[in-house]
Amino acid sequence: MATIAFIGLGHMGLPMARNLVKAGHKVQGFDVRPPDVALDGALSLAASNRAALKGAETVITMLPAGPQVGEAFLADGILAHAQKGALLIDCSTIDVKTAREVAAEAQERGFLMVDAPVSGGVGGAEGASLTFMVGGEKAGFERAKPVLEAMGKKIVHTGASGNGQAAKICNNMILAISMIAVSEAFVLAEKLGLSHQTLFDVASTSSGQCWSLTSYCPVPGPVPASPANRDYKAGFTAAMMLKDLRLAQAAAGEAGVGTPLGAEAATLYALLASAGKGHLDFSSIIKLLRGDLNTSN
Ligand code: NAD
Protein backbone atom coordinates (compact mmCIF):
# COMPACT_ATOMS: atom_id res chain seq x y z
CA MET A 1 0.00 0.00 0.00
CA ALA A 2 1.30 3.42 -0.94
CA THR A 3 0.23 6.94 -0.13
CA ILE A 4 -0.82 8.63 -3.36
CA ALA A 5 -1.71 12.27 -3.99
CA PHE A 6 -4.37 12.55 -6.70
CA ILE A 7 -4.83 16.04 -8.16
CA GLY A 8 -7.91 16.61 -10.35
CA LEU A 9 -11.01 14.68 -9.28
CA GLY A 10 -13.23 15.30 -12.32
CA HIS A 11 -15.08 12.85 -14.60
CA MET A 12 -11.99 10.70 -15.01
CA GLY A 13 -9.94 11.45 -11.91
CA LEU A 14 -12.54 10.57 -9.27
CA PRO A 15 -13.25 7.02 -10.50
CA MET A 16 -9.53 6.46 -11.09
CA ALA A 17 -8.76 7.56 -7.52
CA ARG A 18 -11.48 5.24 -6.26
CA ASN A 19 -9.88 2.31 -8.04
CA LEU A 20 -6.57 3.10 -6.32
CA VAL A 21 -8.41 2.98 -3.00
CA LYS A 22 -9.95 -0.39 -3.98
CA ALA A 23 -6.44 -1.66 -4.68
CA GLY A 24 -5.48 -0.81 -1.08
CA HIS A 25 -3.74 2.54 -1.48
CA LYS A 26 -4.23 5.56 0.73
CA VAL A 27 -5.30 8.38 -1.58
CA GLN A 28 -5.14 12.09 -0.72
CA GLY A 29 -7.20 13.95 -3.33
CA PHE A 30 -7.30 17.61 -4.27
CA ASP A 31 -9.41 19.54 -6.76
CA VAL A 32 -9.88 23.30 -7.09
CA ARG A 33 -13.61 22.47 -7.37
CA PRO A 34 -14.03 19.62 -4.88
CA PRO A 35 -16.40 16.86 -6.05
CA ASP A 36 -19.92 17.15 -4.73
CA VAL A 37 -20.19 13.50 -3.67
CA ALA A 38 -19.52 11.47 -0.55
CA LEU A 39 -15.99 10.06 -0.59
CA ASP A 40 -15.12 6.55 0.50
CA GLY A 41 -12.94 5.73 3.54
CA ALA A 42 -9.39 5.73 2.21
CA LEU A 43 -9.97 8.59 -0.26
CA SER A 44 -9.59 11.84 1.64
CA LEU A 45 -9.97 15.36 0.35
CA ALA A 46 -7.11 17.78 1.07
CA ALA A 47 -7.61 21.53 1.41
CA SER A 48 -4.76 22.35 -0.98
CA ASN A 49 -2.40 20.91 -3.54
CA ARG A 50 0.35 21.14 -0.95
CA ALA A 51 -1.64 19.31 1.76
CA ALA A 52 -2.43 16.46 -0.66
CA LEU A 53 1.29 15.98 -1.33
CA LYS A 54 2.18 15.40 2.33
CA GLY A 55 3.81 11.98 2.70
CA ALA A 56 2.86 10.90 -0.85
CA GLU A 57 5.32 8.54 -2.60
CA THR A 58 3.39 8.95 -5.86
CA VAL A 59 1.62 12.01 -7.27
CA ILE A 60 -0.97 11.58 -10.03
CA THR A 61 -2.56 14.47 -11.93
CA MET A 62 -5.69 14.26 -14.11
CA LEU A 63 -6.29 17.85 -15.23
CA PRO A 64 -8.07 19.44 -18.22
CA ALA A 65 -5.16 20.67 -20.37
CA GLY A 66 -1.58 22.00 -20.58
CA PRO A 67 -2.12 25.33 -18.74
CA GLN A 68 -3.61 23.58 -15.68
CA VAL A 69 -0.78 21.01 -15.67
CA GLY A 70 1.79 23.82 -15.85
CA GLU A 71 0.04 25.63 -13.00
CA ALA A 72 -0.18 22.49 -10.83
CA PHE A 73 3.48 21.49 -11.28
CA LEU A 74 5.47 24.69 -11.72
CA ALA A 75 5.87 27.86 -9.61
CA ASP A 76 4.76 27.02 -6.06
CA GLY A 77 3.20 23.69 -7.08
CA ILE A 78 4.02 20.00 -7.07
CA LEU A 79 7.70 20.33 -8.00
CA ALA A 80 8.24 22.67 -5.06
CA HIS A 81 6.38 20.62 -2.47
CA ALA A 82 6.31 16.92 -3.43
CA GLN A 83 8.30 14.73 -1.09
CA LYS A 84 11.85 13.85 -2.15
CA GLY A 85 11.95 10.83 -4.45
CA ALA A 86 8.21 10.93 -5.23
CA LEU A 87 7.17 9.50 -8.60
CA LEU A 88 5.15 11.98 -10.69
CA ILE A 89 2.55 10.69 -13.17
CA ASP A 90 0.55 13.09 -15.35
CA CYS A 91 -2.47 11.28 -16.84
CA SER A 92 -4.03 14.39 -18.45
CA THR A 93 -4.14 14.73 -22.24
CA ILE A 94 -2.00 17.80 -22.95
CA ASP A 95 0.30 19.23 -25.61
CA VAL A 96 3.59 17.42 -26.18
CA LYS A 97 5.59 20.63 -25.64
CA THR A 98 4.25 21.30 -22.12
CA ALA A 99 4.58 17.60 -21.22
CA ARG A 100 8.28 17.67 -22.17
CA GLU A 101 8.93 21.03 -20.48
CA VAL A 102 7.36 19.97 -17.17
CA ALA A 103 9.15 16.57 -17.26
CA ALA A 104 12.50 18.28 -17.91
CA GLU A 105 11.93 20.64 -14.98
CA ALA A 106 10.95 17.66 -12.78
CA GLN A 107 14.13 15.84 -13.77
CA GLU A 108 16.17 18.93 -12.99
CA ARG A 109 14.77 18.84 -9.47
CA GLY A 110 15.52 15.13 -9.04
CA PHE A 111 12.08 13.63 -9.69
CA LEU A 112 11.17 10.75 -11.98
CA MET A 113 8.19 11.85 -14.06
CA VAL A 114 6.12 10.13 -16.76
CA ASP A 115 3.30 11.35 -18.97
CA ALA A 116 0.58 8.70 -19.03
CA PRO A 117 -2.52 9.83 -20.95
CA VAL A 118 -5.34 7.35 -21.22
CA SER A 119 -7.88 6.01 -23.63
CA GLY A 120 -11.07 4.27 -22.57
CA GLY A 121 -13.16 7.23 -21.34
CA VAL A 122 -15.26 7.44 -18.18
CA GLY A 123 -16.42 3.81 -18.59
CA GLY A 124 -12.80 2.66 -18.65
CA ALA A 125 -11.98 4.85 -15.64
CA GLU A 126 -14.88 3.38 -13.67
CA GLY A 127 -14.17 -0.21 -14.71
CA ALA A 128 -10.36 0.05 -14.22
CA SER A 129 -9.90 -0.95 -17.85
CA LEU A 130 -8.08 2.12 -19.21
CA THR A 131 -5.15 1.95 -21.63
CA PHE A 132 -2.18 4.04 -20.46
CA MET A 133 0.38 5.35 -22.96
CA VAL A 134 3.47 6.06 -20.88
CA GLY A 135 6.28 8.39 -21.93
CA GLY A 136 9.45 8.75 -19.88
CA GLU A 137 12.48 6.88 -18.65
CA LYS A 138 12.27 3.09 -18.27
CA ALA A 139 12.83 3.45 -14.50
CA GLY A 140 9.79 5.76 -14.26
CA PHE A 141 7.71 3.36 -16.34
CA GLU A 142 8.66 0.39 -14.14
CA ARG A 143 7.71 2.28 -10.98
CA ALA A 144 4.46 3.63 -12.48
CA LYS A 145 3.28 0.30 -13.93
CA PRO A 146 1.97 -1.37 -10.73
CA VAL A 147 0.17 1.85 -9.75
CA LEU A 148 -1.42 2.23 -13.20
CA GLU A 149 -2.45 -1.44 -13.20
CA ALA A 150 -4.94 -0.62 -10.44
CA MET A 151 -6.70 1.71 -12.92
CA GLY A 152 -6.13 0.08 -16.30
CA LYS A 153 -5.75 -3.12 -18.28
CA LYS A 154 -3.09 -2.15 -20.78
CA ILE A 155 0.04 -0.18 -19.83
CA VAL A 156 2.30 0.60 -22.81
CA HIS A 157 5.76 2.18 -22.65
CA THR A 158 5.82 4.51 -25.67
CA GLY A 159 9.39 5.80 -25.22
CA ALA A 160 10.84 9.11 -24.08
CA SER A 161 9.09 11.88 -22.22
CA GLY A 162 6.11 13.30 -24.13
CA ASN A 163 5.73 10.16 -26.24
CA GLY A 164 2.65 9.10 -24.29
CA GLN A 165 0.98 12.32 -25.46
CA ALA A 166 2.35 11.79 -28.97
CA ALA A 167 0.83 8.28 -29.16
CA LYS A 168 -2.51 9.52 -27.88
CA ILE A 169 -2.90 12.41 -30.36
CA CYS A 170 -1.63 10.39 -33.35
CA ASN A 171 -4.15 7.64 -32.58
CA ASN A 172 -7.01 10.10 -32.17
CA MET A 173 -6.10 11.88 -35.40
CA ILE A 174 -6.42 8.53 -37.23
CA LEU A 175 -9.74 7.94 -35.48
CA ALA A 176 -11.19 11.35 -36.43
CA ILE A 177 -10.13 11.06 -40.06
CA SER A 178 -11.45 7.51 -40.38
CA MET A 179 -14.76 8.49 -38.74
CA ILE A 180 -15.17 11.34 -41.24
CA ALA A 181 -14.34 8.99 -44.14
CA VAL A 182 -16.88 6.38 -43.00
CA SER A 183 -19.52 9.08 -42.43
CA GLU A 184 -18.98 10.58 -45.90
CA ALA A 185 -19.43 7.14 -47.44
CA PHE A 186 -22.75 6.60 -45.63
CA VAL A 187 -24.01 10.04 -46.70
CA LEU A 188 -23.08 9.29 -50.33
CA ALA A 189 -24.68 5.83 -50.10
CA GLU A 190 -27.93 7.41 -48.83
CA LYS A 191 -28.04 9.69 -51.91
CA LEU A 192 -27.27 6.75 -54.23
CA GLY A 193 -30.07 4.61 -52.78
CA LEU A 194 -27.78 2.11 -51.06
CA SER A 195 -29.02 1.01 -47.63
CA HIS A 196 -26.90 1.47 -44.50
CA GLN A 197 -26.88 -2.26 -43.87
CA THR A 198 -25.80 -3.10 -47.42
CA LEU A 199 -22.90 -0.65 -47.36
CA PHE A 200 -21.93 -1.99 -43.93
CA ASP A 201 -22.04 -5.62 -45.08
CA VAL A 202 -19.85 -4.86 -48.09
CA ALA A 203 -17.35 -2.40 -46.56
CA SER A 204 -16.92 -4.31 -43.29
CA THR A 205 -15.62 -7.30 -45.23
CA SER A 206 -13.76 -5.28 -47.87
CA SER A 207 -10.83 -2.90 -48.00
CA GLY A 208 -12.88 -0.06 -46.42
CA GLN A 209 -12.99 -2.01 -43.15
CA CYS A 210 -11.88 -0.03 -40.05
CA TRP A 211 -12.77 0.41 -36.36
CA SER A 212 -14.92 3.50 -37.02
CA LEU A 213 -17.09 1.34 -39.28
CA THR A 214 -17.17 -2.03 -37.51
CA SER A 215 -17.12 -1.03 -33.82
CA TYR A 216 -18.46 2.52 -33.80
CA CYS A 217 -20.65 2.78 -36.90
CA PRO A 218 -21.99 6.38 -37.28
CA VAL A 219 -25.45 5.27 -38.49
CA PRO A 220 -27.99 3.37 -36.38
CA GLY A 221 -28.53 -0.32 -37.08
CA PRO A 222 -25.45 -2.25 -38.16
CA VAL A 223 -23.56 -1.99 -34.82
CA PRO A 224 -26.21 -1.91 -32.06
CA ALA A 225 -23.81 -0.69 -29.34
CA SER A 226 -22.62 2.38 -31.26
CA PRO A 227 -23.74 5.88 -30.06
CA ALA A 228 -25.70 6.41 -33.33
CA ASN A 229 -28.31 4.05 -31.83
CA ARG A 230 -28.91 6.37 -28.87
CA ASP A 231 -29.10 9.76 -30.59
CA TYR A 232 -25.31 10.18 -30.44
CA LYS A 233 -25.19 10.37 -26.66
CA ALA A 234 -21.42 10.40 -25.86
CA GLY A 235 -19.24 8.19 -25.59
CA PHE A 236 -16.36 10.37 -26.51
CA THR A 237 -17.62 13.88 -27.16
CA ALA A 238 -17.01 15.91 -30.31
CA ALA A 239 -15.55 18.63 -28.03
CA MET A 240 -12.93 16.18 -26.69
CA MET A 241 -12.08 15.07 -30.20
CA LEU A 242 -11.66 18.71 -31.23
CA LYS A 243 -9.31 19.27 -28.29
CA ASP A 244 -7.15 16.28 -29.31
CA LEU A 245 -7.12 17.33 -32.99
CA ARG A 246 -5.96 20.80 -31.99
CA LEU A 247 -3.18 19.24 -29.90
CA ALA A 248 -2.19 17.18 -32.95
CA GLN A 249 -2.14 20.32 -35.11
CA ALA A 250 -0.01 22.17 -32.55
CA ALA A 251 2.44 19.25 -32.43
CA ALA A 252 2.53 19.04 -36.24
CA GLY A 253 3.29 22.77 -36.40
CA GLU A 254 6.10 22.41 -33.83
CA ALA A 255 7.55 19.44 -35.73
CA GLY A 256 7.14 21.09 -39.16
CA VAL A 257 5.05 18.19 -40.47
CA GLY A 258 2.12 18.57 -42.85
CA THR A 259 -1.03 16.76 -41.70
CA PRO A 260 -3.60 18.10 -44.20
CA LEU A 261 -6.34 15.60 -43.36
CA GLY A 262 -5.76 16.17 -39.64
CA ALA A 263 -6.16 19.92 -40.27
CA GLU A 264 -9.37 19.36 -42.23
CA ALA A 265 -10.70 17.08 -39.49
CA ALA A 266 -10.00 19.80 -36.89
CA THR A 267 -11.93 22.32 -39.04
CA LEU A 268 -14.93 19.99 -39.41
CA TYR A 269 -15.06 19.25 -35.66
CA ALA A 270 -14.77 22.98 -34.92
CA LEU A 271 -17.81 23.57 -37.16
CA LEU A 272 -19.72 20.81 -35.38
CA ALA A 273 -18.86 22.30 -31.98
CA SER A 274 -19.78 25.84 -33.05
CA ALA A 275 -23.15 24.50 -34.21
CA GLY A 276 -23.77 23.59 -30.55
CA LYS A 277 -23.11 19.86 -30.93
CA GLY A 278 -19.84 19.58 -28.99
CA HIS A 279 -21.59 17.55 -26.27
CA LEU A 280 -22.65 14.83 -28.71
CA ASP A 281 -20.54 11.79 -29.48
CA PHE A 282 -17.81 12.46 -32.06
CA SER A 283 -19.53 10.07 -34.51
CA SER A 284 -22.24 12.77 -34.86
CA ILE A 285 -19.90 14.38 -37.42
CA ILE A 286 -22.18 12.58 -39.90
CA LYS A 287 -24.87 15.17 -39.04
CA LEU A 288 -22.59 17.98 -40.23
CA LEU A 289 -21.70 16.11 -43.43
CA ARG A 290 -25.37 15.31 -44.13
CA GLY A 291 -26.44 18.87 -43.30
CA ASP A 292 -28.95 17.88 -40.60
CA LEU A 293 -27.76 19.94 -37.66
CA ASN A 294 -31.18 21.42 -36.95
CA THR A 295 -32.42 18.59 -34.78
CA SER A 296 -32.71 19.23 -31.05
CA ASN A 297 -29.89 16.90 -29.95
P1 NAD B 1 -12.81 17.24 -15.92
O1 NAD B 1 -12.89 18.65 -16.35
O2 NAD B 1 -14.04 16.51 -15.54
O3 NAD B 1 -11.79 17.13 -14.66
C1 NAD B 1 -10.67 17.92 -14.46
C2 NAD B 1 -10.66 18.39 -13.02
O4 NAD B 1 -9.46 19.12 -12.75
C3 NAD B 1 -11.82 19.32 -12.67
O5 NAD B 1 -12.58 18.76 -11.62
C4 NAD B 1 -11.14 20.66 -12.28
O6 NAD B 1 -11.81 21.34 -11.24
C5 NAD B 1 -9.77 20.16 -11.82
N1 NAD B 1 -8.70 21.16 -11.89
C6 NAD B 1 -8.46 22.08 -12.86
N2 NAD B 1 -7.33 22.77 -12.57
C7 NAD B 1 -6.86 22.28 -11.39
C8 NAD B 1 -5.73 22.57 -10.57
N3 NAD B 1 -4.84 23.52 -10.92
N4 NAD B 1 -5.56 21.87 -9.43
C9 NAD B 1 -6.46 20.91 -9.07
N5 NAD B 1 -7.54 20.58 -9.80
C10 NAD B 1 -7.75 21.26 -10.93
O7 NAD B 1 -12.01 16.48 -17.09
P2 NAD B 1 -11.96 14.89 -17.35
O8 NAD B 1 -13.03 14.50 -18.28
O9 NAD B 1 -11.80 14.21 -16.03
O10 NAD B 1 -10.60 14.80 -18.21
C11 NAD B 1 -9.34 14.94 -17.59
C12 NAD B 1 -8.27 14.71 -18.63
O11 NAD B 1 -8.42 13.41 -19.20
C13 NAD B 1 -8.35 15.69 -19.82
O12 NAD B 1 -7.04 16.04 -20.19
C14 NAD B 1 -9.04 14.88 -20.91
O13 NAD B 1 -8.68 15.30 -22.21
C15 NAD B 1 -8.52 13.49 -20.61
N6 NAD B 1 -9.41 12.42 -21.08
C16 NAD B 1 -10.75 12.48 -20.84
C17 NAD B 1 -11.58 11.46 -21.30
C18 NAD B 1 -13.06 11.49 -21.06
O14 NAD B 1 -13.78 10.69 -21.68
N7 NAD B 1 -13.57 12.35 -20.16
C19 NAD B 1 -11.02 10.37 -22.00
C20 NAD B 1 -9.65 10.31 -22.19
C21 NAD B 1 -8.84 11.35 -21.73
Side-chain angles (χ1 to χ4, degrees), residues 7-13 30-33 49 62-65 68 71-72 91-94 118-122 168 235-236 240 243-244:
I7 316 293
L9 299 168
H11 292 103
M12 297 290 288
F30 173 67
D31 194 300
V32 286
R33 283 177 36 218
N49 202 341
M62 193 50 165
L63 299 166
Q68 291 82 16
E71 182 192 314
C91 293
S92 331
T93 301
I94 69 167
V118 305
S119 79
V122 174
K168 165 95 184 166
F236 182 57
M240 286 271 188
K243 174 195 164 186
D244 290 357

Side-chain angles (χ1 to χ4, degrees), residues 148-202:
L148 300 179
E149 277 168 347
M151 302 179 284
K153 280 223 169 84
K154 195 163 178 199
I155 323 295
V156 188
H157 189 208
T158 50
S161 195
N163 279 17
Q165 303 295 349
K168 165 95 184 166
I169 58 176
C170 288
N171 177 71
N172 281 12
M173 189 173 78
I174 297 172
L175 176 61
I177 293 168
S178 67
M179 182 55 79
I180 292 166
V182 169
S183 298
E184 278 190 4
F186 274 109
V187 171
L188 177 60
E190 286 165 6
K191 291 289 178 209
L192 299 178
L194 186 64
S195 78
H196 290 161
Q197 191 63 50
T198 304
L199 174 60
F200 180 85
D201 290 344
V202 171

Side-chain angles (χ1 to χ4, degrees), residues 68-81:
Q68 291 82 16
V69 170
E71 182 192 314
F73 278 90
L74 304 174
D76 197 32
I78 295 167
L79 297 187
H81 299 292

